[in-house]
Amino acid sequence: MTVKLQQIDDCRWRIPREGAMRTEGLVFADARMIATLQEEQALEQVRNVATLPGIVGPSLAMPDIHWGYGFPIGGVAAFDAEEGVVSPGGVGYDINCGVRLLRSALTANDIKPVLAKLADTLFRNVPAGVGSERRDLKVSLAEQRRVLERGAAWAVARGYGETEDLRHIEAGGMLPDADSELISERAMERGRAQLGTLGSGNHFLEVQEVEEIFDAAVADVLGLCTGQVTVSIHTGSRGLGYQVCDDFLKRMLQASRKYGIELPDRQLCCAPLTSPEGREYLAAMAGAANFAFANRQIITAWVRESFEQVLGLGPAQLRLSLIYDVCHNIAKWETHTVDGRARRLCVHRKGATRAFPPGHPETPEAYRAVGQPVLIPGDMGRYSYVLVGSAGAMAETFGSTCHGAGRVLSRHAAKKVAHGRRIEAELAERGILIRAAGRAAVAEEISEAYKDVAEVVDVVRRAGLGKIVARLRPLAVIKG
DNA sequence: ATGTAC
């Protein structure tokens, strides 16, 4: 089935309203990206989302859009508090998957002599891989409930990191209104031993070098300069978030029937935001989101510890400070101005990053003048980007941008391309060390499996959704 | 993404 597309300009495409659509679709992409998309069902998914009750503004898609469960990955949709719905498919299985970025007082030359030892130590100290389990962290069931309610603040209280870190996390590292009683026993069990683990797939831990600065004034405010060592952590809520999504998909399928919501695709199952089912999903989702915030906070402490071990330097010399931590799979209550009126909306971001502009009260004070940091990982063989949010994003996308490069090859296809090659050696030739839980994980994540993230962020820049600040090159990659 | 199917 082909989806009608009208080109608006060189980076915007409209899917006109027709049939059951309640609003139009708006896709941010260049002509080449659109050409590859039309063979996929991702645009059809943008159109399907536009049929959901209470949607406000267009059904949006970022330039890294690809096919996902119900909603496309790279999709943004906002819903009215009274008329709208909440959908687990609009958040995704990995609730509060996100990225955090640490800066350091080190240069790439400082760590090059010990890079292999640093990679080994990080790989040992941060469990990675499918089903990876905790190191030495023991959490009782009662305490796990506190994790789900307090997020990163729980981790800091337990000695993982500093209070200062909390100021540099989206939502302060804790979504309010989380209710651990709404999370199934099974989800609790799955999460129990997974706090402080990386997981698999595109999740990673990277030691990086700032390769290029594009905006010196903003980079200065974020504390970034060329040649500096940074660390990125990309992971989410592991098996716990997966189980919460799975549990609620079943309930939402029933709820959709109960409330008479017509679905073009069962995977879009949802419930009114005013219904018990809707409220309960949001409270369970907030718990899983807080688990993910705590997860990234604990890993951060182990990263700091690893650097201290290998370099023999103290925290004051390393200065591994948290620049920012952003979610890219979440539904949140936010206030947005629509047609000149401030409205409280439930914004679904699935594979999309919040990108609030300069001056926004939710942006940490330190960055208030330049905008919220936006962290966009690329693939392990190339680079990642740091952006800041802009007024354009607030006006057009409910303060959102892309979240990454976006796959172009399926995992299976990537493995075929990698077959017979020595990917580790190829990366080493480019100065990138990799430590991974398995060979298959590396093969599935080869550069060729992804779009060039430089092209993705360039669409974001041209569309005025964000400002490009810096490009980071991987030096050592820890993969599940 | 995911104890890659209970």
Side-chain angles (χ1 to χ4, degrees):
Chain A
M1 190 183 294
T2 50
V3 174
K4 241 182 242 170
L5 264 182
Q6 300 167 346
Q7 183 161 12
I8 299 169
D9 57 26
D10 69 335
C11 51
R12 283 178 186 78
W13 306 73
R14 179 189 299 113
I15 301 174
R17 187 179 163 184
E18 62 178 355
M21 291 170 76
R22 294 168 196 260
T23 183
E24 60 185 30
L26 177 58
V27 181
F28 292 86
D30 64 24
R32 253 185 53 209
M33 292 169 182
I34 283 289
T36 64
L37 271 176
Q38 290 200 287
E39 300 150 26
E40 297 188 37
Q41 301 129 299
L43 292 172
E44 209 173 309
Q45 294 188 315
V46 176
R47 195 178 57 180
N48 289 344
V49 170
T51 70
L52 293 177
I55 186 165
V56 175
S59 167
L60 295 154
M62 297 298 139
D64 52 337
I65 181 186
H66 53 278
W67 179 85
Y69 186 94
F71 287 58
I73 296 162
V76 178
F79 293 87
D80 180 76
E82 301 299 323
E83 309 293 324
V85 293
V86 61
S87 174
V91 172
Y93 270 91
D94 191 3
I95 294 166
N96 189 7
C97 185
V99 187
R100 63 164 53 187
L101 177 66
L102 311 174
R103 62 172 179 252
S104 78
L106 303 167
T107 66
N109 286 332
D110 293 333
I111 65 163
K112 266 174 193 158
V114 294
L115 193 60
K117 197 174 168 206
L118 185 59
D120 291 337
T121 305
L122 286 166
F123 188 59
R124 195 170 56 238
N125 286 346
V126 182
V130 181
S132 50
E133 295 196 347
R134 65 164 170 248
R135 218 179 51 166
D136 50 3
L137 170 63
K138 295 224 161 52
V139 188
S140 69
L141 193 65
E143 225 175 345
Q144 198 185 344
R145 295 200 184 281
R146 307 250 311 147
V147 175
L148 302 186
E149 277 148 26
R150 304 208 43 217
W154 175 88
V156 170
R158 274 283 301 249
Y160 299 99
E162 306 144 22
T163 309
E164 176 65 16
D165 295 340
L166 302 177
R167 274 200 276 278
H168 290 184
I169 307 176
E170 180 170 338
M174 179 183 82
L175 290 195
D177 308 321
D179 187 348
S180 64
E181 298 291 337
L182 295 170
I183 292 180
S184 68
E185 215 170 288
R186 194 166 173 207
M188 291 295 273
E189 253 169 47
R190 287 184 71 170
R192 189 94 173 263
Q194 291 186 329
L195 199 53
T197 65
L198 202 55
S200 67
N202 66 358
H203 289 167
F204 65 75
L205 165 58
E206 257 182 35
V207 180
Q208 307 155 318
E209 170 185 10
V210 179
E211 191 175 32
E212 194 168 351
I213 298 283
F214 299 93
D215 189 312
V218 178
D220 198 45
V221 172
L222 302 189
L224 290 171
C225 61
T226 312
Q228 181 184 17
V229 169
T230 59
V231 178
S232 281
I233 298 162
H234 176 201
T235 184
S237 51
R238 309 285 287 103
L240 184 141
Y242 180 99
Q243 194 61 46
V244 168
C245 179
D246 210 42
D247 291 342
F248 274 89
L249 281 171
K250 289 179 196 98
R251 277 195 73 192
M252 290 301 199
L253 208 51
Q254 294 173 332
S256 303
R257 273 196 295 271
K258 175 176 163 189
Y259 297 105
I261 301 168
E262 274 186 49
L263 301 174
D265 173 357
R266 286 160 52 94
Q267 294 184 354
L268 292 173
C269 60
C270 56
L273 282 158
T274 53
S275 70
E277 293 89 342
R279 281 198 301 268
E280 285 174 17
Y281 169 70
L282 280 173
M285 183 216 72
N290 290 341
F291 181 91
F293 281 134
N295 193 26
R296 294 196 286 272
Q297 184 65 35
I298 292 163
I299 291 172
T300 299
W302 289 339
V303 166
R304 287 171 172 153
E305 183 189 290
S306 303
F307 271 75
E308 286 166 25
Q309 280 174 12
V310 173
L311 288 141
L313 296 172
Q317 293 160 301
L318 291 170
R319 293 206 299 278
L320 280 159
S321 342
L322 178 55
I323 293 182
Y324 205 58
D325 177 315
V326 276
C327 322
H328 54 225
N329 277 15
I330 201 130
K332 305 245 301 287
W333 287 110
E334 292 173 0
T335 303
H336 289 273
T337 306
V338 183
D339 300 327
R341 190 162 68 91
R343 289 172 70 177
R344 193 165 161 265
L345 304 173
C346 183
V347 181
H348 292 59
R349 294 192 183 91
K350 182 188 191 177
T353 313
R354 198 185 72 174
F356 280 176
H360 195 282
E362 279 194 51
T363 301
E365 245 176 76
Y367 312 133
R368 194 77 49 87
V370 298
Q372 178 218 300
V374 176
L375 312 171
I376 310 296
D379 62 82
M380 64 185 184
R382 281 183 274 195
Y383 30 63
S384 296
Y385 279 85
V386 180
L387 284 75
V388 282
S390 69
M394 219 51 188
E396 275 197 283
T397 59
F398 301 101
S400 316
T401 65
C402 64
H403 87 305
R407 268 194 180 274
V408 285
L409 296 180
S410 69
R411 287 177 189 186
H412 181 72
K415 268 196 247 190
K416 272 176 83 170
V417 170
H419 185 76
R421 283 166 53 181
R422 293 174 59 233
I423 306 300
E424 286 91 339
E426 289 179 26
L427 288 169
E429 269 169 40
R430 297 163 69 177
I432 304 167
L433 293 185
I434 181 153
R435 298 288 182 274
R439 284 187 58 83
V442 177
E444 288 170 3
E445 290 293 311
I446 51 165
S447 286
E448 293 94 318
Y450 287 92
K451 253 182 250 180
D452 184 350
V453 73
E455 292 175 16
V456 174
V457 295
D458 198 53
V459 171
V460 166
R461 178 190 64 80
R462 271 160 36 212
L465 303 179
K467 193 190 269 188
I468 301 175
V469 180
R471 187 176 67 235
L472 315 173
R473 181 181 93 81
L475 297 172
V477 185
I478 312 300
K479 270 284 191 187

PDB file of all heavy atoms in Angstrom, chain A residues 190 194 201-202 238, chain B residues 1-4 6:
ATOM      1  N   ARG A 190      12.140  -9.919  36.684  1.00  0.00           N
ATOM      2  CA  ARG A 190      13.073  -9.759  35.566  1.00  0.00           C
ATOM      3  C   ARG A 190      14.031  -8.604  35.810  1.00  0.00           C
ATOM      4  O   ARG A 190      15.179  -8.645  35.388  1.00  0.00           O
ATOM      5  CB  ARG A 190      12.307  -9.543  34.254  1.00  0.00           C
ATOM      6  CG  ARG A 190      11.646 -10.787  33.740  1.00  0.00           C
ATOM      7  CD  ARG A 190      10.970 -10.574  32.404  1.00  0.00           C
ATOM      8  NE  ARG A 190      11.926 -10.390  31.315  1.00  0.00           N
ATOM      9  CZ  ARG A 190      11.594 -10.371  30.035  1.00  0.00           C
ATOM     10  NH1 ARG A 190      10.342 -10.517  29.686  1.00  0.00           N
ATOM     11  NH2 ARG A 190      12.507 -10.197  29.117  1.00  0.00           N
ATOM     12  N   GLN A 194      18.836  -7.009  37.094  1.00  0.00           N
ATOM     13  CA  GLN A 194      19.300  -6.306  35.891  1.00  0.00           C
ATOM     14  C   GLN A 194      19.591  -4.832  36.123  1.00  0.00           C
ATOM     15  O   GLN A 194      19.917  -4.106  35.184  1.00  0.00           O
ATOM     16  CB  GLN A 194      18.275  -6.468  34.767  1.00  0.00           C
ATOM     17  CG  GLN A 194      18.215  -7.897  34.251  1.00  0.00           C
ATOM     18  CD  GLN A 194      17.317  -8.034  33.053  1.00  0.00           C
ATOM     19  OE1 GLN A 194      16.342  -7.312  32.908  1.00  0.00           O
ATOM     20  NE2 GLN A 194      17.648  -8.964  32.186  1.00  0.00           N
ATOM     21  N   GLY A 201      21.873  -5.484  21.718  1.00  0.00           N
ATOM     22  CA  GLY A 201      21.384  -4.739  20.553  1.00  0.00           C
ATOM     23  C   GLY A 201      22.165  -3.464  20.341  1.00  0.00           C
ATOM     24  O   GLY A 201      23.393  -3.490  20.343  1.00  0.00           O
ATOM     25  N   ASN A 202      21.448  -2.353  20.176  1.00  0.00           N
ATOM     26  CA  ASN A 202      22.167  -1.099  19.914  1.00  0.00           C
ATOM     27  C   ASN A 202      22.612  -0.409  21.206  1.00  0.00           C
ATOM     28  O   ASN A 202      23.193   0.663  21.166  1.00  0.00           O
ATOM     29  CB  ASN A 202      21.330  -0.163  19.027  1.00  0.00           C
ATOM     30  CG  ASN A 202      20.064   0.326  19.703  1.00  0.00           C
ATOM     31  OD1 ASN A 202      19.764  -0.047  20.836  1.00  0.00           O
ATOM     32  ND2 ASN A 202      19.313   1.157  19.014  1.00  0.00           N
ATOM     33  N   ARG A 238      15.651  -2.553  30.387  1.00  0.00           N
ATOM     34  CA  ARG A 238      15.940  -3.996  30.339  1.00  0.00           C
ATOM     35  C   ARG A 238      14.666  -4.853  30.369  1.00  0.00           C
ATOM     36  O   ARG A 238      13.644  -4.449  29.852  1.00  0.00           O
ATOM     37  CB  ARG A 238      16.922  -4.345  31.467  1.00  0.00           C
ATOM     38  CG  ARG A 238      18.175  -3.457  31.530  1.00  0.00           C
ATOM     39  CD  ARG A 238      19.189  -3.771  30.448  1.00  0.00           C
ATOM     40  NE  ARG A 238      19.867  -5.025  30.729  1.00  0.00           N
ATOM     41  CZ  ARG A 238      19.620  -6.203  30.135  1.00  0.00           C
ATOM     42  NH1 ARG A 238      18.708  -6.291  29.195  1.00  0.00           N
ATOM     43  NH2 ARG A 238      20.293  -7.266  30.453  1.00  0.00           N
TER      44      ARG A 238
ATOM     45  P    DA B   1      18.521  -2.149  19.865  1.00  0.00           P
ATOM     46  OP1  DA B   1      19.852  -2.272  20.053  1.00  0.00           O
ATOM     47  OP2  DA B   1      17.744  -1.512  18.919  1.00  0.00           O
ATOM     48  O5'  DA B   1      17.694  -2.972  20.957  1.00  0.00           O
ATOM     49  C5'  DA B   1      17.905  -2.691  22.296  1.00  0.00           C
ATOM     50  C4'  DA B   1      16.604  -2.875  23.025  1.00  0.00           C
ATOM     51  O4'  DA B   1      15.546  -2.846  22.074  1.00  0.00           O
ATOM     52  C3'  DA B   1      16.476  -4.219  23.750  1.00  0.00           C
ATOM     53  O3'  DA B   1      16.903  -4.030  25.092  1.00  0.00           O
ATOM     54  C2'  DA B   1      14.972  -4.447  23.736  1.00  0.00           C
ATOM     55  C1'  DA B   1      14.536  -3.729  22.470  1.00  0.00           C
ATOM     56  N9   DA B   1      14.267  -4.632  21.359  1.00  0.00           N
ATOM     57  C8   DA B   1      15.053  -4.921  20.288  1.00  0.00           C
ATOM     58  N7   DA B   1      14.513  -5.773  19.448  1.00  0.00           N
ATOM     59  C5   DA B   1      13.289  -6.069  20.032  1.00  0.00           C
ATOM     60  C6   DA B   1      12.237  -6.906  19.658  1.00  0.00           C
ATOM     61  N6   DA B   1      12.252  -7.641  18.537  1.00  0.00           N
ATOM     62  N1   DA B   1      11.171  -6.970  20.475  1.00  0.00           N
ATOM     63  C2   DA B   1      11.171  -6.236  21.595  1.00  0.00           C
ATOM     64  N3   DA B   1      12.096  -5.415  22.045  1.00  0.00           N
ATOM     65  C4   DA B   1      13.129  -5.376  21.212  1.00  0.00           C
ATOM     66  P    DT B   2      17.543  -5.167  25.953  1.00  0.00           P
ATOM     67  OP1  DT B   2      17.641  -4.754  27.356  1.00  0.00           O
ATOM     68  OP2  DT B   2      18.717  -5.597  25.222  1.00  0.00           O
ATOM     69  O5'  DT B   2      16.426  -6.288  25.818  1.00  0.00           O
ATOM     70  C5'  DT B   2      15.207  -6.184  26.569  1.00  0.00           C
ATOM     71  C4'  DT B   2      14.519  -7.521  26.420  1.00  0.00           C
ATOM     72  O4'  DT B   2      13.753  -7.538  25.197  1.00  0.00           O
ATOM     73  C3'  DT B   2      15.484  -8.691  26.220  1.00  0.00           C
ATOM     74  O3'  DT B   2      16.195  -8.998  27.390  1.00  0.00           O
ATOM     75  C2'  DT B   2      14.519  -9.720  25.663  1.00  0.00           C
ATOM     76  C1'  DT B   2      13.700  -8.856  24.690  1.00  0.00           C
ATOM     77  N1   DT B   2      14.253  -8.880  23.300  1.00  0.00           N
ATOM     78  C2   DT B   2      13.497  -9.462  22.317  1.00  0.00           C
ATOM     79  O2   DT B   2      12.406  -9.940  22.528  1.00  0.00           O
ATOM     80  N3   DT B   2      14.072  -9.460  21.080  1.00  0.00           N
ATOM     81  C4   DT B   2      15.318  -8.946  20.731  1.00  0.00           C
ATOM     82  O4   DT B   2      15.710  -9.017  19.585  1.00  0.00           O
ATOM     83  C5   DT B   2      16.064  -8.361  21.813  1.00  0.00           C
ATOM     84  C7   DT B   2      17.418  -7.784  21.532  1.00  0.00           C
ATOM     85  C6   DT B   2      15.481  -8.350  23.027  1.00  0.00           C
ATOM     86  P    DG B   3      15.628  -9.865  28.701  1.00  0.00           P
ATOM     87  OP1  DG B   3      14.186  -9.904  28.865  1.00  0.00           O
ATOM     88  OP2  DG B   3      16.520  -9.266  29.620  1.00  0.00           O
ATOM     89  O5'  DG B   3      16.214 -11.295  28.411  1.00  0.00           O
ATOM     90  C5'  DG B   3      15.571 -12.178  27.583  1.00  0.00           C
ATOM     91  C4'  DG B   3      16.025 -13.554  28.048  1.00  0.00           C
ATOM     92  O4'  DG B   3      15.923 -13.664  29.483  1.00  0.00           O
ATOM     93  C3'  DG B   3      15.056 -14.640  27.562  1.00  0.00           C
ATOM     94  O3'  DG B   3      15.459 -14.993  26.251  1.00  0.00           O
ATOM     95  C2'  DG B   3      15.305 -15.748  28.561  1.00  0.00           C
ATOM     96  C1'  DG B   3      15.720 -15.002  29.844  1.00  0.00           C
ATOM     97  N9   DG B   3      14.741 -15.088  30.949  1.00  0.00           N
ATOM     98  C8   DG B   3      14.939 -15.693  32.182  1.00  0.00           C
ATOM     99  N7   DG B   3      13.906 -15.610  32.987  1.00  0.00           N
ATOM    100  C5   DG B   3      12.969 -14.915  32.232  1.00  0.00           C
ATOM    101  C6   DG B   3      11.647 -14.506  32.563  1.00  0.00           C
ATOM    102  O6   DG B   3      11.038 -14.699  33.637  1.00  0.00           O
ATOM    103  N1   DG B   3      11.037 -13.827  31.543  1.00  0.00           N
ATOM    104  C2   DG B   3      11.615 -13.564  30.332  1.00  0.00           C
ATOM    105  N2   DG B   3      10.860 -12.914  29.472  1.00  0.00           N
ATOM    106  N3   DG B   3      12.846 -13.921  30.011  1.00  0.00           N
ATOM    107  C4   DG B   3      13.458 -14.573  30.987  1.00  0.00           C
ATOM    108  P    DT B   4      14.473 -15.687  25.162  1.00  0.00           P
ATOM    109  OP1  DT B   4      13.148 -16.000  25.746  1.00  0.00           O
ATOM    110  OP2  DT B   4      15.292 -16.750  24.557  1.00  0.00           O
ATOM    111  O5'  DT B   4      14.256 -14.524  24.069  1.00  0.00           O
ATOM    112  C5'  DT B   4      13.034 -14.356  23.364  1.00  0.00           C
ATOM    113  C4'  DT B   4      13.326 -14.031  21.898  1.00  0.00           C
ATOM    114  O4'  DT B   4      14.386 -13.065  21.834  1.00  0.00           O
ATOM    115  C3'  DT B   4      13.865 -15.218  21.101  1.00  0.00           C
ATOM    116  O3'  DT B   4      12.828 -16.068  20.662  1.00  0.00           O
ATOM    117  C2'  DT B   4      14.662 -14.509  19.999  1.00  0.00           C
ATOM    118  C1'  DT B   4      15.206 -13.298  20.719  1.00  0.00           C
ATOM    119  N1   DT B   4      16.634 -13.454  21.178  1.00  0.00           N
ATOM    120  C2   DT B   4      17.584 -12.685  20.568  1.00  0.00           C
ATOM    121  O2   DT B   4      17.325 -11.895  19.667  1.00  0.00           O
ATOM    122  N3   DT B   4      18.852 -12.861  21.048  1.00  0.00           N
ATOM    123  C4   DT B   4      19.263 -13.725  22.063  1.00  0.00           C
ATOM    124  O4   DT B   4      20.447 -13.777  22.411  1.00  0.00           O
ATOM    125  C5   DT B   4      18.209 -14.517  22.664  1.00  0.00           C
ATOM    126  C7   DT B   4      18.549 -15.477  23.769  1.00  0.00           C
ATOM    127  C6   DT B   4      16.966 -14.341  22.196  1.00  0.00           C
ATOM    128  P    DC B   6       7.202 -16.094  25.547  1.00  0.00           P
ATOM    129  OP1  DC B   6       6.889 -14.672  25.657  1.00  0.00           O
ATOM    130  OP2  DC B   6       8.403 -16.621  26.216  1.00  0.00           O
ATOM    131  O5'  DC B   6       5.942 -16.931  26.029  1.00  0.00           O
ATOM    132  C5'  DC B   6       5.381 -17.989  25.256  1.00  0.00           C
ATOM    133  C4'  DC B   6       4.647 -18.924  26.198  1.00  0.00           C
ATOM    134  O4'  DC B   6       5.433 -20.125  26.372  1.00  0.00           O
ATOM    135  C3'  DC B   6       4.401 -18.387  27.611  1.00  0.00           C
ATOM    136  O3'  DC B   6       3.086 -17.870  27.715  1.00  0.00           O
ATOM    137  C2'  DC B   6       4.564 -19.600  28.513  1.00  0.00           C
ATOM    138  C1'  DC B   6       5.532 -20.487  27.733  1.00  0.00           C
ATOM    139  N1   DC B   6       6.953 -20.367  28.153  1.00  0.00           N
ATOM    140  C2   DC B   6       7.425 -21.120  29.235  1.00  0.00           C
ATOM    141  O2   DC B   6       6.638 -21.874  29.808  1.00  0.00           O
ATOM    142  N3   DC B   6       8.715 -20.992  29.603  1.00  0.00           N
ATOM    143  C4   DC B   6       9.533 -20.158  28.958  1.00  0.00           C
ATOM    144  N4   DC B   6      10.791 -20.081  29.360  1.00  0.00           N
ATOM    145  C5   DC B   6       9.091 -19.375  27.845  1.00  0.00           C
ATOM    146  C6   DC B   6       7.804 -19.503  27.488  1.00  0.00           C
TER     147       DC B   6
END
